[in-house]
Amino acid sequence: MKLDEFFVTGDPIIFLSQIAIGLTIIGLVALISYLKKWKYLWQEWFTTVDHKKIGIMYIIAGVLMFFRGGVDGLMMRAQTSRPGLELLDGQHYDEIFTTHGVVMILFMAMPLLIGIMNVVLPLQIGARDVAFPKLNALSFWLFFGAAMLFNISFVIGGSPDAGWTNYFPLAGVEFSPDIGNNFYAIALQIAGIGTLATGINFIVTILKMRAPGMTLMKMPMFTWTSLVTSVLIVAAFPILTIALLMMTLDRMFGAHFFTVAAGGDPMLWLNLFWLWGHPEVYIVVLPAFGMYSEIIATFSRKNLFGYKTMVISIVAIAFLSMLVWVHHFYTMGNSAAVNSVFSVTTMMIAIPTGVKIFNWLFTMRKGRIQFTNAMMWSLAFIPCFTIGGVTGVMLAMAAADYQYHNTMFLVAHFHYVLIPGVVFAVFAGLYYWWPKMFGFTLNERIGKWHFWLFVIGFNMTFMPMFFVGLDGMSRRMYTYSESTGWAPYLGFSAIGSLVLAAGFAALVYNIYWSFRYASRDIGGDPWDARTLEWDTASPVQEYNFAVTPEVTELDQFWKNKKEGKNKLKKEEIKDIHMPSNSGIPIIMSVAFGIVGFFLIFEWFTLAAIFSIAIIAGLIASSFDYDDGYHIPAKKVLETERKWRGDL
């Protein structure tokens, strides 16, 4: 292979990106070396199995991917801001909307939500860590390695260009002979393995490690949504794994599972992809519902209205999400009976979702509402998500979908569901649980700028898409003529995307400002909250709880506070057993990344050689008899005294 075939050349935007990536890597290595932080990073972060630190690393990676996917989005809006514009050519536009979709769904939304779940979930159930700490670390590093592998595609080898759905036959070798779609197949496979392991880990953690007395119906709502999400992950991700394996065999070995000419069927890919893809929407939305439930109850100063119906609604949504995938191809030759069945199951999801919205509204009714940033994001979610939900019901009607199908109307609906349903929730969750991670709150005044810029920019960007979509503008069009009349709408949308970006910049500035100037004297419970995670220090101590809490009711921490029972007795403090750090997960992830890279370029001999490192890592894990270590009771007592006062 020639050098100019290995590196992507000929595009000034990508050339500048290559320079920027090179300089950033050199700068980071130089800075860490100058500060002599390599040992610290290795011991405290790269080899950690602490669920809180792993959660923070997920969140940092998710924010970086948000920036990457956001830049893609800005480029798309700039390209369509004026008719006939040639900022990007058609091929580059195809690559950008493909990577934008994949990055935002799998490498931004998933890590941000799993990161918050990692930080909060064990704390909410009174546990000291997740069930399998080393597997948790391996899950993160597999995700991170896959994200890096996918992201280098635009400077090395070439980006995938068949859309985030990668429909066949377009994604096959015949129409996409370059290796771009190999990046898609291999990187998503590696990330999917990590996500599946996370789902199993969280299910076992919740079912087996809850505090004494915490029955399923005494679990906080965020824990409930995390449990149901994890079950969905375990149900859906193996389907993606099989589909990607078949895709890999098709592209690299000519298996022709999805090629009509050789007896395959492209519809098989569509069915497999959406059997995973539609539950995936709820995998990223359900944890958000749990976050809103916790935040709305806390800042309304009331218990969550209709707890049992909320639980039933979550389970019903998860069940129905597995029965709706065919609505993605109403127009592809199904019978009227098939379309009708899937139309009904799709619309039925609106019922439990509506129940949840009414429950949130009734939770606020007669409450003493505090308009903190976390609460404002939760409030903004309700009308914005409702617009996404109502337009979703419109799309669920098979007959009407013949007009909406593959138009910008669908793009607008999709973003009105996922941005309020995921991004708003992540922002709300970050403002709410930030003290548990870092020991201070984010600045509320700067946070208001972040809120208003982002919410206004979001509506400016995506609302016009409903109108151009109804007027017939197809999604994925990279240019259009003046005669269509779409220019004012898309120009307005482009301006909105800049406002949206300004909102993101305000968040970044808020993080910087708060790290430097925010007060560290906030105690363990700055929001007067209700669930067990607030019975710990800010930031949370290494062992989470000095003594495992006992639960007799929902919102046990709130009840204890009101009854003055949150006192810790020093005679109850014992030595605490903790798991040891391990370098095996990150080493295995590097091996996965190298093998994946060679597979992408179809250098199979090298891939086979480096696969030995993965096998060696598995063997080393099997013979790892490290049983962890104990934190002495005396040290625990000293730590507790520092933040609680005298014991």
Side-chain angles (χ1 to χ4, degrees):
M1 174 178 277
K2 296 177 182 176
L3 200 61
D4 61 348
E5 293 173 343
F6 186 75
F7 288 107
V8 178
T9 58
D11 188 314
I13 298 175
I14 293 178
F15 179 65
L16 290 173
S17 300
Q18 288 167 332
I19 294 174
I21 290 170
L23 292 176
T24 302
I25 292 172
I26 293 170
L28 275 176
V29 171
L31 180 65
I32 295 170
S33 302
Y34 176 75
L35 296 174
K36 298 179 180 175
K37 291 293 184 183
W38 287 112
K39 186 177 179 182
Y40 164 78
L41 288 173
W42 178 261
Q43 291 180 341
E44 297 294 325
W45 292 92
F46 294 164
T47 60
T48 186
V49 296
D50 184 334
H51 70 97
K52 302 178 288 293
K53 289 181 177 176
I54 290 172
I56 289 169
M57 290 193 291
Y58 265 117
I59 291 168
I60 292 171
V63 171
L64 291 175
M65 291 299 104
F66 198 173
F67 175 78
R68 159 71 206 276
V71 170
D72 283 346
L74 286 173
M75 293 172 72
M76 290 160 64
R77 296 282 64 79
Q79 167 60 28
T80 57
S81 62
R82 301 298 306 158
L85 205 60
E86 296 183 355
L87 180 66
L88 304 173
D89 59 33
Q91 173 61 26
H92 199 173
Y93 191 82
D94 289 351
E95 293 172 3
I96 284 177
F97 73 64
T98 299
T99 54
H100 172 77
V102 174
V103 167
M104 286 304 206
I105 295 284
L106 288 159
F107 297 126
M108 183 280 286
M110 291 289 286
L112 283 173
L113 291 165
I114 289 176
I116 294 175
M117 288 160 73
N118 248 297
V119 172
V120 176
L121 196 153
L123 297 171
Q124 281 202 330
I125 62 172
R128 292 219 159 83
D129 208 318
V130 295
F132 309 112
K134 288 180 185 174
L135 183 64
N136 196 27
L138 179 63
S139 296
F140 167 75
W141 287 114
L142 285 179
F143 146 75
F144 187 77
M148 294 301 102
L149 196 60
F150 186 82
N151 274 279
I152 63 169
S153 65
F154 85 106
V155 291
I156 296 176
S159 296
D161 57 359
W164 86 281
T165 53
N166 240 35
Y167 280 178
F168 279 79
L170 182 60
V173 175
E174 183 183 0
F175 294 99
S176 299
D178 297 332
I179 64 163
N181 289 315
N182 290 1
F183 274 103
Y184 179 99
I186 301 299
L188 265 62
Q189 189 72 282
I190 296 172
I193 294 169
T195 304
L196 181 59
T198 296
I200 295 168
N201 211 343
F202 283 164
I203 290 173
V204 178
T205 301
I206 295 170
L207 294 182
K208 302 297 290 184
M209 298 179 67
R210 299 193 305 280
M214 182 181 278
T215 63
L216 288 177
M217 294 308 288
K218 291 188 176 70
M219 291 197 308
M221 190 51 63
F222 180 64
T223 302
W224 253 113
T225 55
S226 299
L227 174 62
V228 175
T229 299
S230 301
V231 173
L232 265 183
I233 287 173
V234 173
F237 266 77
I239 302 171
L240 177 68
T241 300
I242 295 301
L244 290 172
L245 175 63
M246 294 166 74
M247 178 184 177
T248 304
L249 293 174
D250 255 23
R251 288 189 55 84
M252 297 184 188
F253 302 101
H256 298 297
F257 287 109
F258 309 121
T259 307
V260 173
D265 186 354
M267 285 302 294
L268 177 60
W269 168 261
L270 265 73
N271 278 287
L272 290 172
F273 180 86
W274 286 115
L275 261 170
W276 161 79
H278 205 83
E280 168 66 11
V281 173
Y282 294 92
I283 286 170
V284 294
V285 166
L286 285 178
F289 288 172
M291 292 182 201
Y292 289 132
S293 298
E294 305 289 357
I295 291 167
I296 289 173
T298 294
F299 294 113
S300 297
R301 299 288 171 245
K302 288 178 64 183
N303 59 326
L304 186 64
F305 181 86
Y307 174 84
K308 290 182 181 177
T309 57
M310 290 286 258
V311 172
I312 294 169
S313 299
I314 294 163
V315 175
I317 290 170
F319 177 73
L320 289 170
S321 75
M322 300 294 294
L323 304 176
V324 300
W325 79 96
V326 174
H327 71 218
H328 289 277
F329 32 95
Y330 281 147
T331 61
M332 298 184 192
N334 298 317
S335 68
V338 169
N339 278 356
S340 298
V341 168
F342 284 94
S343 185
V344 170
T345 55
T346 304
M347 285 190 277
M348 283 176 68
I349 291 186
I351 299 171
T353 306
V355 168
K356 296 176 73 60
I357 288 177
F358 279 113
N359 281 352
W360 288 320
L361 294 175
F362 277 107
T363 301
M364 288 185 278
R365 182 175 177 267
K366 293 187 177 180
R368 290 178 288 115
I369 297 174
Q370 291 180 306
F371 292 95
T372 60
N373 278 309
M375 187 64 173
M376 289 180 67
W377 284 109
S378 306
L379 294 174
F381 151 78
I382 293 175
C384 293
F385 187 80
T386 301
I387 293 172
V390 170
T391 51
V393 174
M394 293 170 67
L395 286 158
M397 292 183 284
D401 189 62
Y402 275 79
Q403 179 182 351
Y404 310 135
H405 186 74
N406 261 345
T407 68
M408 293 297 283
F409 184 90
L410 172 65
V411 176
H413 152 74
F414 187 68
H415 285 84
Y416 264 89
V417 169
L418 283 184
I419 291 183
V422 179
V423 179
F424 285 16
V426 167
F427 290 152
L430 287 180
Y431 280 101
Y432 185 59
W433 281 302
W434 194 268
K436 290 292 116 183
M437 292 184 269
F438 299 106
F440 57 88
T441 58
L442 288 170
N443 184 282
E444 286 285 307
R445 185 175 57 83
I446 302 173
K448 295 291 189 296
W449 280 98
H450 168 213
F451 172 82
W452 285 112
L453 286 170
F454 200 94
V455 172
I456 292 171
F458 158 71
N459 283 286
M460 287 176 65
T461 304
F462 296 105
M463 184 61 77
M465 294 182 189
F466 284 122
F467 300 103
V468 293
L470 288 173
D471 199 37
M473 181 178 182
S474 173
R475 67 193 300 195
R476 304 180 184 122
M477 286 179 66
Y478 88 101
T479 191
Y480 54 95
S481 70
E482 184 79 46
S483 61
T484 58
W486 298 334
Y489 294 101
L490 296 175
F492 187 76
S493 175
I495 295 170
S497 67
L498 294 176
V499 180
L500 195 68
F504 181 77
L507 170 65
V508 174
Y509 177 68
N510 196 352
I511 292 171
Y512 161 77
W513 189 95
S514 300
F515 262 102
R516 290 204 63 179
Y517 304 113
S519 170
R520 266 59 177 174
D521 186 19
I522 59 169
D525 181 24
W527 309 123
D528 192 15
R530 312 178 70 84
T531 41
L532 282 180
E533 70 269 29
W534 302 99
D535 195 16
T536 58
S538 298
V540 181
Q541 55 274 41
E542 178 186 5
Y543 46 81
N544 292 356
F545 296 93
V547 175
T548 301
E550 292 188 8
V551 175
T552 58
E553 293 188 21
L554 185 66
D555 292 344
Q556 185 69 44
F557 175 64
W558 175 265
K559 178 176 179 288
N560 288 348
K561 264 195 307 188
K562 298 308 163 191
E563 296 177 358
K565 294 180 179 177
N566 275 339
K567 303 294 183 185
L568 185 67
K569 297 174 183 174
K570 62 181 180 181
E571 59 271 18
E572 293 178 345
I573 297 176
K574 311 291 183 188
D575 292 354
I576 294 176
H577 179 251
M578 298 296 293
S580 298
N581 287 357
S582 173
I584 293 176
I586 186 172
I587 292 170
M588 283 186 67
S589 169
V590 171
F592 264 100
I594 293 172
V595 171
F597 184 80
F598 289 142
L599 282 177
I600 287 165
F601 282 88
E602 302 182 16
W603 297 338
F604 298 118
T605 305
L606 288 171
I609 293 170
F610 277 86
S611 296
I612 296 170
I614 298 174
I615 297 168
L618 292 171
I619 294 172
S621 294
S622 301
F623 289 93
D624 183 1
Y625 298 114
D626 186 341
D627 195 33
Y629 64 98
H630 285 83
I631 304 174
K634 184 180 177 183
K635 185 178 179 184
V636 175
L637 188 60
E638 288 174 3
T639 305
E640 293 296 308
R641 275 178 175 157
K642 281 183 184 175
W643 74 276
R644 288 178 184 272
D646 289 338
L647 280 175

